[in-house]
PDB file of all heavy atoms in Angstrom:
ATOM      1  N   MET T   1      -3.629 114.110 186.777  1.00  0.00           N
ATOM      2  CA  MET T   1      -2.482 113.639 187.272  1.00  0.00           C
ATOM      3  C   MET T   1      -1.760 112.588 186.358  1.00  0.00           C
ATOM      4  O   MET T   1      -2.449 111.586 185.995  1.00  0.00           O
ATOM      5  CB  MET T   1      -2.653 113.033 188.676  1.00  0.00           C
ATOM      6  CG  MET T   1      -1.425 112.758 189.408  1.00  0.00           C
ATOM      7  SD  MET T   1      -1.684 111.606 190.853  1.00  0.00           S
ATOM      8  CE  MET T   1      -2.438 110.130 190.064  1.00  0.00           C
ATOM      9  N   ALA T   2      -0.467 112.626 186.193  1.00  0.00           N
ATOM     10  CA  ALA T   2       0.102 111.676 185.363  1.00  0.00           C
ATOM     11  C   ALA T   2       0.559 110.427 186.287  1.00  0.00           C
ATOM     12  O   ALA T   2       1.254 110.595 187.280  1.00  0.00           O
ATOM     13  CB  ALA T   2       1.395 112.284 184.765  1.00  0.00           C
ATOM     14  N   LEU T   3       0.027 109.321 185.852  1.00  0.00           N
ATOM     15  CA  LEU T   3       0.420 108.074 186.582  1.00  0.00           C
ATOM     16  C   LEU T   3       1.601 107.418 186.019  1.00  0.00           C
ATOM     17  O   LEU T   3       2.490 106.772 186.668  1.00  0.00           O
ATOM     18  CB  LEU T   3      -0.713 106.959 186.389  1.00  0.00           C
ATOM     19  CG  LEU T   3      -2.113 107.373 187.027  1.00  0.00           C
ATOM     20  CD1 LEU T   3      -3.212 106.451 186.618  1.00  0.00           C
ATOM     21  CD2 LEU T   3      -1.862 107.200 188.599  1.00  0.00           C
ATOM     22  N   VAL T   4       1.981 107.730 184.739  1.00  0.00           N
ATOM     23  CA  VAL T   4       3.205 107.200 183.953  1.00  0.00           C
ATOM     24  C   VAL T   4       3.940 108.426 183.616  1.00  0.00           C
ATOM     25  O   VAL T   4       3.653 109.106 182.453  1.00  0.00           O
ATOM     26  CB  VAL T   4       2.805 106.279 182.938  1.00  0.00           C
ATOM     27  CG1 VAL T   4       4.119 105.763 182.300  1.00  0.00           C
ATOM     28  CG2 VAL T   4       1.858 105.195 183.299  1.00  0.00           C
ATOM     29  N   PRO T   5       5.023 108.751 184.229  1.00  0.00           N
ATOM     30  CA  PRO T   5       5.962 109.816 183.857  1.00  0.00           C
ATOM     31  C   PRO T   5       6.313 109.716 182.344  1.00  0.00           C
ATOM     32  O   PRO T   5       6.776 108.729 181.885  1.00  0.00           O
ATOM     33  CB  PRO T   5       7.099 109.792 184.844  1.00  0.00           C
ATOM     34  CG  PRO T   5       6.643 109.128 185.893  1.00  0.00           C
ATOM     35  CD  PRO T   5       5.673 108.162 185.490  1.00  0.00           C
ATOM     36  N   ASN T   6       6.197 110.779 181.561  1.00  0.00           N
ATOM     37  CA  ASN T   6       6.509 110.833 180.149  1.00  0.00           C
ATOM     38  C   ASN T   6       5.660 109.845 179.345  1.00  0.00           C
ATOM     39  O   ASN T   6       5.877 109.761 178.116  1.00  0.00           O
ATOM     40  CB  ASN T   6       7.958 110.454 179.874  1.00  0.00           C
ATOM     41  CG  ASN T   6       8.954 111.433 180.527  1.00  0.00           C
ATOM     42  OD1 ASN T   6       8.664 112.614 180.501  1.00  0.00           O
ATOM     43  ND2 ASN T   6       9.929 111.012 181.059  1.00  0.00           N
ATOM     44  N   ASN T   7       4.634 109.236 179.946  1.00  0.00           N
ATOM     45  CA  ASN T   7       3.700 108.437 179.295  1.00  0.00           C
ATOM     46  C   ASN T   7       4.411 107.459 178.532  1.00  0.00           C
ATOM     47  O   ASN T   7       4.023 107.055 177.311  1.00  0.00           O
ATOM     48  CB  ASN T   7       2.746 109.202 178.452  1.00  0.00           C
ATOM     49  CG  ASN T   7       1.410 108.589 178.221  1.00  0.00           C
ATOM     50  OD1 ASN T   7       1.239 107.370 178.704  1.00  0.00           O
ATOM     51  ND2 ASN T   7       0.543 109.257 177.302  1.00  0.00           N
ATOM     52  N   SER T   8       5.548 106.733 179.045  1.00  0.00           N
ATOM     53  CA  SER T   8       6.214 105.733 178.323  1.00  0.00           C
ATOM     54  C   SER T   8       6.883 104.767 179.347  1.00  0.00           C
ATOM     55  O   SER T   8       7.270 105.319 180.458  1.00  0.00           O
ATOM     56  CB  SER T   8       7.301 106.388 177.452  1.00  0.00           C
ATOM     57  OG  SER T   8       8.168 105.500 176.884  1.00  0.00           O
ATOM     58  N   LEU T   9       7.066 103.617 178.921  1.00  0.00           N
ATOM     59  CA  LEU T   9       7.777 102.666 179.732  1.00  0.00           C
ATOM     60  C   LEU T   9       9.283 102.488 179.190  1.00  0.00           C
ATOM     61  O   LEU T   9      10.074 101.710 179.898  1.00  0.00           O
ATOM     62  CB  LEU T   9       7.116 101.286 179.742  1.00  0.00           C
ATOM     63  CG  LEU T   9       5.757 101.350 180.304  1.00  0.00           C
ATOM     64  CD1 LEU T   9       5.233  99.748 180.333  1.00  0.00           C
ATOM     65  CD2 LEU T   9       5.679 101.807 181.660  1.00  0.00           C
ATOM     66  N   ILE T  10       9.572 103.208 178.223  1.00  0.00           N
ATOM     67  CA  ILE T  10      10.869 103.128 177.581  1.00  0.00           C
ATOM     68  C   ILE T  10      11.853 104.009 178.339  1.00  0.00           C
ATOM     69  O   ILE T  10      11.619 105.264 178.329  1.00  0.00           O
ATOM     70  CB  ILE T  10      10.884 103.334 176.083  1.00  0.00           C
ATOM     71  CG1 ILE T  10       9.722 102.470 175.445  1.00  0.00           C
ATOM     72  CG2 ILE T  10      12.144 103.024 175.444  1.00  0.00           C
ATOM     73  CD1 ILE T  10       9.833 100.854 175.754  1.00  0.00           C
ATOM     74  N   THR T  11      12.970 103.540 178.735  1.00  0.00           N
ATOM     75  CA  THR T  11      14.069 104.392 179.313  1.00  0.00           C
ATOM     76  C   THR T  11      15.374 104.054 178.592  1.00  0.00           C
ATOM     77  O   THR T  11      15.630 102.751 178.097  1.00  0.00           O
ATOM     78  CB  THR T  11      14.146 104.102 180.861  1.00  0.00           C
ATOM     79  OG1 THR T  11      14.597 102.744 181.103  1.00  0.00           O
ATOM     80  CG2 THR T  11      12.814 104.273 181.566  1.00  0.00           C
ATOM     81  N   PRO T  12      16.308 104.917 178.638  1.00  0.00           N
ATOM     82  CA  PRO T  12      17.608 104.551 177.982  1.00  0.00           C
ATOM     83  C   PRO T  12      18.442 103.512 178.760  1.00  0.00           C
ATOM     84  O   PRO T  12      19.194 102.854 178.080  1.00  0.00           O
ATOM     85  CB  PRO T  12      18.376 105.899 177.984  1.00  0.00           C
ATOM     86  CG  PRO T  12      17.564 106.997 178.754  1.00  0.00           C
ATOM     87  CD  PRO T  12      16.227 106.272 179.002  1.00  0.00           C
ATOM     88  N   THR T  13      18.448 103.409 179.993  1.00  0.00           N
ATOM     89  CA  THR T  13      19.258 102.536 180.861  1.00  0.00           C
ATOM     90  C   THR T  13      18.434 101.991 181.937  1.00  0.00           C
ATOM     91  O   THR T  13      17.393 102.395 182.224  1.00  0.00           O
ATOM     92  CB  THR T  13      20.301 103.487 181.423  1.00  0.00           C
ATOM     93  OG1 THR T  13      19.804 104.274 182.492  1.00  0.00           O
ATOM     94  CG2 THR T  13      21.077 104.119 180.484  1.00  0.00           C
ATOM     95  N   PRO T  14      18.964 100.766 182.416  1.00  0.00           N
ATOM     96  CA  PRO T  14      18.343 100.153 183.678  1.00  0.00           C
ATOM     97  C   PRO T  14      18.180 101.122 184.876  1.00  0.00           C
ATOM     98  O   PRO T  14      17.147 101.093 185.553  1.00  0.00           O
ATOM     99  CB  PRO T  14      19.369  99.058 184.075  1.00  0.00           C
ATOM    100  CG  PRO T  14      20.100  98.728 182.704  1.00  0.00           C
ATOM    101  CD  PRO T  14      20.160 100.080 181.997  1.00  0.00           C
ATOM    102  N   GLU T  15      19.208 101.988 185.084  1.00  0.00           N
ATOM    103  CA  GLU T  15      19.126 102.871 186.150  1.00  0.00           C
ATOM    104  C   GLU T  15      17.841 103.710 186.004  1.00  0.00           C
ATOM    105  O   GLU T  15      17.072 103.974 187.006  1.00  0.00           O
ATOM    106  CB  GLU T  15      20.378 103.731 186.217  1.00  0.00           C
ATOM    107  CG  GLU T  15      20.382 104.746 187.342  1.00  0.00           C
ATOM    108  CD  GLU T  15      20.652 104.177 188.699  1.00  0.00           C
ATOM    109  OE1 GLU T  15      21.163 103.012 188.749  1.00  0.00           O
ATOM    110  OE2 GLU T  15      20.373 104.829 189.745  1.00  0.00           O
TER     111      GLU T  15
END
Side-chain angles (χ1 to χ4, degrees):
Chain T
M1 187 195 59
L3 293 165
V4 182
N6 297 321
N7 206 1
S8 171
L9 300 183
I10 307 306
T11 69
T13 66
E15 181 74 16

